[in-house]
Amino acid sequence: MNTISININLKKKQYKIYMERGILTSIGKKLRQAYEGRTLVVITDKNVERLYMKELKESFLDNGFKVNVISIEPGEKSKSLDMLKKIYENLCELKIKRKDVIVSLGGGVVGDLSGFAAATYLRGISYVQIPTSLLAQVDSSIGGKVAVDLPWGKNLVGNFYHPDAVFIDPEVLKTLSDRFFSDGMAEVIKYGFIKDKTILEDLNSYKSKEEALNNIENIIYKCCSIKKKLVEEDEKDLGNRMLLNFGHTLGHAVERYYNYSKYSHGEAVSIGMAYITGRTEELSITKEGTYSYMVNILKKYGLPVYIQGVDKNVLVDTIALDKKSSDKNEINLIMIEEAGKSKIRNTKLSEAANFLFPENLIK
Ligand code: GLY
């Protein structure tokens, strides 16, 4: 199969997303020309290391690279300042120099953490992304957002720092558990609602996870193409790129509320998307029927659409800390007008709760 590529053209940097089934075993060859003679440090987690490190390492060694591996515990709790410090220590002990390269092999946690390490170690070294979860392949590996979490909230310390390339191997998704397939599907469904309802039509037409996986290149391509446009137009997330935050304001607060242990990112975003859309449909901002269309698709892909027994006031306090709220005590909320069409609404923080929790649609 041929490699599909998408160019990301930014003001100060261009890079490519390459997608091909089985590309994992030829990344060494693809990096050879650009990085000849440099040392590669692969940052991964213990699950992904067990599954894919051997073949990736062989591909690097076969192409003359020196390779080091830093492997972290899987899960959001690793996206911390403590873990970042350990990575810096490892990079120093390995005598990694400015010309060397970090290779991020894993899902969103590994990508955000290793991207932030690359952005800051020695004031910035090159890195490439090899996303291995659906969520990372369609969203977090592209666009340069790198970060770690603080006890006060997600991604509170970070930067925009783009990789030199992104390599997507859809074949690796076969080992994703059902739960983490659903996790990524939440972001795919997000793209459908904010920009492209054909994604939703595709998802509705698939009869099984297998059928969705057989067509996953098409889905990933559509999502990455939307992200490309939004990132090129608004690299620093001050305008239309914010549409990608649909469902994330409440979603991040839900993740934090349960200390990142009960709901995955995608599950929390699913709840966030359903809640705000339920409410905006009640307020006639959203076309009637959109909420039930959304809930059906989220449920079809195994995602939760409501939570019980949470203290709304705690969620609202967490939202006030969200970096998407400005110093004017306002927040940009993303709302769906109809499937495939979305808008940004600047809202006073004191009024945000009115848009986030449906009164009648969810009982
Ligand atoms: N994940 C949202 C963004 O990259 O802007």
Side-chain angles (χ1 to χ4, degrees):
M1 201 197 131
N2 291 337
T3 311
I4 296 167
S5 71
I6 297 177
N7 291 309
I8 309 280
N9 298 308
L10 304 165
K11 285 194 188 76
K12 293 198 180 142
K13 178 159 184 163
Q14 280 84 41
Y15 62 98
K16 275 191 165 62
I17 305 169
Y18 300 92
M19 175 167 55
E20 186 185 336
R21 285 189 191 264
I23 201 170
L24 201 66
T25 53
S26 57
I27 297 176
K29 193 166 164 210
K30 292 197 159 48
L31 294 183
R32 188 176 182 146
Q33 206 187 352
Y35 296 147
E36 192 146 23
R38 306 206 212 171
T39 296
L40 306 181
V41 185
V42 183
I43 302 181
T44 188
D45 73 34
K46 294 203 187 327
N47 291 340
V48 178
E49 178 186 23
R50 189 169 36 80
L51 290 165
Y52 300 115
M53 197 54 235
K54 189 168 172 284
E55 49 189 314
L56 184 67
K57 195 169 181 178
E58 266 165 26
S59 153
F60 290 154
L61 293 175
D62 288 351
N63 284 282
F65 289 110
K66 268 197 247 140
V67 187
N68 296 289
V69 180
I70 301 174
S71 186
I72 65 169
E73 285 305 321
E76 188 73 30
K77 289 196 177 123
S78 286
K79 222 174 105 177
S80 65
L81 286 176
D82 285 346
M83 189 58 80
L84 186 65
K85 180 167 171 261
K86 284 188 192 141
I87 288 178
Y88 292 143
E89 286 165 2
N90 274 278
L91 295 172
C92 289
E93 275 160 16
L94 293 166
K95 299 191 171 45
I96 296 306
K97 302 280 183 308
R98 230 182 188 167
K99 65 175 182 23
D100 295 327
V101 182
I102 288 180
V103 176
S104 161
L105 173 73
V109 167
V110 166
D112 284 10
L113 176 72
S114 52
F116 190 66
T120 45
Y121 180 72
L122 304 180
R123 296 204 182 88
I125 69 171
S126 295
Y127 83 114
V128 300
Q129 289 269 19
I130 310 175
T132 57
S133 68
L134 180 58
L135 188 144
Q137 293 190 347
V138 296
D139 191 18
S140 61
S141 67
I142 310 150
K145 278 190 182 174
V146 294
V148 294
D149 304 334
L150 292 182
W152 293 268
K154 257 178 91 93
N155 300 332
L156 290 183
V157 181
N159 207 339
F160 292 92
Y161 191 70
H162 294 271
D164 288 357
V166 181
F167 295 94
I168 297 178
D169 187 343
E171 207 56 29
V172 304
L173 301 179
K174 285 191 174 156
T175 54
L176 273 188
S177 66
D178 287 350
R179 185 170 183 211
F180 283 95
F181 175 71
S182 298
D183 186 51
M185 273 298 168
E187 297 284 0
V188 172
I189 293 167
K190 172 193 84 177
Y191 281 106
F193 276 97
I194 62 167
K195 277 284 176 199
D196 182 356
K197 73 172 182 200
T198 70
I199 295 177
L200 306 171
E201 289 159 6
D202 293 344
L203 296 186
N204 269 331
S205 74
Y206 303 141
K207 307 239 166 343
S208 62
K209 178 183 167 191
E210 285 60 44
E211 195 179 346
L213 275 176
N214 288 340
N215 289 283
I216 206 79
E217 281 102 324
N218 179 38
I219 296 176
I220 297 171
Y221 185 81
K222 285 186 181 182
C223 296
C224 290
S225 302
I226 295 171
K227 183 135 191 189
K228 165 199 158 69
K229 283 204 194 92
L230 292 173
V231 169
E232 286 178 351
E233 182 187 321
D234 173 28
E235 187 186 340
K236 294 283 157 69
D237 205 15
L238 299 167
N240 275 347
R241 182 171 177 169
M242 285 189 273
L243 295 173
L244 295 167
N245 296 331
F246 173 50
H248 283 59
T249 300
L250 185 60
H252 281 171
V254 167
E255 277 183 274
R256 166 86 193 84
Y257 187 92
Y258 291 103
N259 202 19
Y260 307 104
S261 53
K262 182 162 181 177
Y263 292 106
S264 70
H265 177 69
E267 289 165 348
V269 166
S270 172
I271 293 164
M273 293 192 289
Y275 271 45
I276 194 167
T277 306
R279 183 62 187 147
T280 53
E281 189 170 313
E282 285 174 353
L283 295 167
S284 302
I285 296 166
T286 301
K287 188 173 163 192
E288 205 181 321
T290 307
Y291 170 74
S292 64
Y293 182 65
M294 178 182 286
V295 162
N296 285 339
I297 234 176
L298 291 169
K299 284 186 178 165
K300 174 173 177 177
Y301 285 92
L303 289 157
V305 292
Y306 67 90
I307 29 170
Q308 275 174 331
V310 280
D311 184 340
K312 276 190 201 170
N313 294 326
V314 176
L315 290 179
V316 172
D317 287 348
T318 308
I319 286 166
L321 246 182
D322 194 298
K323 64 199 169 318
K324 291 183 278 299
S325 71
S326 71
D327 50 7
K328 288 187 287 180
N329 276 327
E330 288 165 354
I331 190 162
N332 291 306
L333 292 178
I334 313 309
M335 300 176 185
I336 301 300
E337 293 171 303
E338 61 183 276
K341 273 197 195 156
S342 53
K343 66 176 182 187
I344 303 167
R345 179 157 169 167
N346 188 264
T347 311
K348 286 196 177 21
L349 260 177
S350 55
E351 288 164 15
N354 176 44
F355 291 106
L356 291 170
F357 302 100
E359 285 177 358
N360 304 310
L361 274 170
I362 297 175
K363 294 218 182 351

